[in-house]
Amino acid sequence: DVVVTQSPLSLPVTLGQPASISCRSSQSLVYSDGNTYLNWFQQRPGQSPRRLIYKVSNRDSGVPDRFSGSGSGTDFTLKISRVEAEDVGVYYCMQGTHWPYGFGQGTKLEIK
Amino acid sequence: EVQLLESGGGLVQPGGSLRLSCAASGFSFSTYAMTWVRQAPGRGLEWVSGSSGSGSVTTYYADSVKGRFTISRDNSKNTLYLQMNSLRAEDTAVYYCAKGLVLIDDWGQGTLVTVSS
């Protein structure tokens, strides 16, 4: 099975500063159709998850442009250019390329 | 607007059964794959089961629930189900219904399942 590993697991950030979360997979996430099914989700405290980014770098409608996704193959990154208070929560990457699909362990972002 | 409304959670004894439902609206349910994801208290997200969309339906299960859980859908009622049998303490979690399979986008609010004697 593909193992998806996030780092760091805890991310204290000062308001207005950038933040970066890494997601690494044990196998390439490029599917036979040429797409890479790596998605990013945000889960604010007490809420359901919300998708931010799909297929590595495509931002969902309504997601602030301070969020960006990048990467290829086995190495992916979610970046927040300037952290705001509303960004507090847990961030998960998810691979949908290889069965069984799965999530990373989650990265808890908090304000320092 | 997409809406996914889960129901059917509750307290059940080990070895018992529950059936979760997810009522969908705001999109063409029959044409979309659907997924169940769970989250144990204080833990991360765990992919549980998925169902492909229109045509010949294919179902998928995590190893942790294979043989015990069954996903199904009634496209005439725009409803997704998860039949859970032989429940264990480790199945205690909030169960989310989500639209999509490899590109999960919209999520419901979740329903809590507690397995305890």
Side-chain angles (χ1 to χ4, degrees), chain B residues 23-83:
Chain B
S25 61
F27 64 102
S28 180
F29 177 77
S30 64
T31 65
Y32 277 87
M34 298 292 293
T35 296
W36 287 100
V37 175
R38 68 184 180 185
Q39 186 170 36
R43 305 295 294 273
L45 301 173
E46 180 187 11
W47 201 96
V48 174
S49 181
S51 168
S52 64
S54 57
S56 178
V57 174
T58 302
T59 57
Y60 306 83
Y61 299 96
D63 284 347
S64 58
V65 306
K66 198 176 297 182
R68 300 187 299 123
F69 290 12
T70 302
I71 190 172
S72 63
R73 59 195 299 160
D74 185 336
N75 289 336
S76 69
K77 296 183 178 179
N78 290 346
T79 302
L80 181 74
Y81 301 101
L82 187 67
Q83 177 66 44

